[in-house]
Amino acid sequence: MPIAFELVSVVPYREDGQFGHRFTLRLALEERDNARLNWIERTDRPYVEGMEPDTWTDLFQLVHGQSRVFNGWNESQDDSGATLVTFVDPPSIREEPYARRTLQFWIVALDGNGEDWAVWQGIQQLACSDTGAIVTQTLEQTGRDHGDDGEPPYPEGFSPY
């Protein structure tokens, strides 16, 4: 099982005055022990303390223990050998007049062997009209790659360590 990300599902939702998507991303690792994760996001509308507008931020480093998105990763940290890790992320914004957000994802995993890596990229766009009606609600994969040289690509200007 080579290291790879798979976008399993993208489901639009609308509830409690919020709208967005629940997306499920699965990561196959050959060696979970000592594996690394960088869940990097950039948005024009930060939603957590420590994020700056239009700046790549590693959300795993910032909030990993406080976000259910990383439960599968955190719960598998004592595993070794081949592992499947599932992430379920529900990014959303409030339904209100003129609300809008663009959220970019650049997610990097480095296998525990230190050489194999995988990258998943996506973008979510959400917008409301002047009355608060939903006019844009998209989430799509924009890239997916893997390699075995221990040097995964990162967004320009972002340094993981």
Side-chain angles (χ1 to χ4, degrees), residues 32-110:
R32 173 61 179 97
D33 191 38
N34 293 318
R36 267 189 357 223
L37 176 69
N38 298 107
W39 189 285
I40 308 162
E41 296 181 6
R42 178 170 67 181
T43 181
D44 54 353
R45 187 174 169 180
Y47 60 92
V48 68
E49 189 174 332
M51 279 184 104
E52 296 293 328
D54 302 312
T55 302
W56 290 106
T57 303
D58 189 338
L59 269 288
F60 181 69
Q61 294 298 319
L62 191 62
V63 300
H64 69 89
Q66 304 161 20
S67 174
R68 288 181 282 161
V69 171
F70 305 116
N71 283 356
W73 182 264
N74 292 334
E75 291 166 2
S76 70
Q77 68 184 358
D78 294 330
D79 293 354
S80 62
T83 304
L84 281 174
V85 179
T86 301
F87 303 92
V88 179
D89 193 359
S92 65
I93 63 172
R94 284 203 124 335
E95 258 183 89
E96 55 192 25
Y98 302 106
R100 60 182 59 248
R101 180 176 75 188
T102 298
L103 179 59
Q104 295 172 279
F105 299 89
W106 191 304
I107 303 168
V108 179
L110 192 62

Side-chain angles (χ1 to χ4, degrees), residues 19-21 44 91 93 99-105 122-128 134-140:
F19 76 105
H21 300 86
D44 54 353
I93 63 172
R100 60 182 59 248
R101 180 176 75 188
T102 298
L103 179 59
Q104 295 172 279
F105 299 89
I123 188 167
Q124 180 193 51
Q125 295 181 319
L126 303 172
C128 292
I134 298 169
V135 294
T136 305
Q137 186 175 10
T138 63
L139 190 148
E140 61 185 287

Side-chain angles (χ1 to χ4, degrees), residues 129-146:
S129 71
D130 60 344
T131 64
I134 298 169
V135 294
T136 305
Q137 186 175 10
T138 63
L139 190 148
E140 61 185 287
Q141 176 175 298
T142 57
R144 195 179 105 165
D145 201 3
H146 59 87

